[in-house]
């Protein structure tokens, strides 16, 4: 008899830009991109198309109907590729795209019961070493 394993694999999870600004702990809205200077602009653009967005929203809000589908599918592992840094660092690298989310909004990932969150390698040092994954409040190695 063959055993099966159900995985949830999700790429390009963006919790920066305007998403971070409707969550309970909005981060610094400053963006350093060519056309948009504030993450709040993304919220305003979304509201223009979809109507008012209540803020702050619960951490589960950003997943919409996906959470019910995940419960139904009951994957043994939920793995996502995060497209944004989790940091409060302001020490950005001039890359053109420097999205981040406030570490206090990590509840977004726990709301989806994510087992493994991988930071896209092209975003790892967007906020230099001070904003790297090992520096978001994790204990220092002994």
């Amino acid at each position: 008899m063959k055993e099966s394993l159900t995985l949830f694999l999700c790429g390009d999870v963006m919790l920066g830009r305007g998403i971070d600004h409707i969550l309970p702990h909005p981060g610094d809205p400053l963006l350093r991109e060519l056309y948009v200077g504030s993450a709040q602009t993304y919220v305003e653009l979304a509201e223009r198309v979809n109507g008012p967005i209540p803020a702050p929203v619960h951490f589960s809000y950003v997943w919409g109907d996906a959470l019910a589908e995940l419960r139904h599918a009951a994957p043994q592992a939920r793995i996502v590729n995060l497209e944004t840094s989790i940091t409060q660092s302001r020490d950005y690298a001039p890359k053109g795209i420097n999205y981040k989310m406030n570490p206090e909004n990590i509840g977004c990932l726990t709301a989806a019961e994510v087992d493994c969150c991988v930071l896209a390698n092209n975003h790892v040092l967007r906020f230099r070493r001070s904003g790297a994954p090992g520096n978001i409040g994790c204990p220092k190695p002994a």
Side-chain angles (χ1 to χ4, degrees), residues 104-117:
E104 293 181 58
N105 286 328
I106 199 77
C108 261
L109 296 170
T110 57
E113 300 177 33
V114 171
D115 295 297
C116 177
C117 180

Side-chain angles (χ1 to χ4, degrees), residues 89-127:
S89 174
R90 292 180 176 216
D91 185 19
Y92 74 99
K95 301 273 187 177
I97 297 176
N98 294 74
Y99 301 131
K100 64 181 176 177
M101 69 176 274
N102 186 336
E104 293 181 58
N105 286 328
I106 199 77
C108 261
L109 296 170
T110 57
E113 300 177 33
V114 171
D115 295 297
C116 177
C117 180
V118 180
L119 182 61
N121 62 2
N122 60 319
H123 298 295
V124 170
L125 293 175
R126 295 291 185 190
F127 290 89

Side-chain angles (χ1 to χ4, degrees), residues 29-78:
L30 181 63
L31 297 178
R32 293 167 180 90
E33 57 185 57
L34 190 56
Y35 298 105
V36 177
S38 171
Q40 191 60 37
T41 301
Y42 285 109
V43 175
E44 293 164 5
L45 290 170
E47 288 181 324
R48 228 183 275 167
V49 173
N50 301 298
I53 298 172
V57 297
H58 188 271
F59 293 125
S60 61
Y61 176 88
V62 301
W63 297 98
D65 295 336
L67 293 183
E69 293 299 320
L70 282 168
R71 278 190 296 277
H72 177 72
Q76 281 79 29
R78 299 175 185 200

Side-chain angles (χ1 to χ4, degrees), residues 134-135 138-142:
N135 294 320
C138 298
K140 299 279 185 208

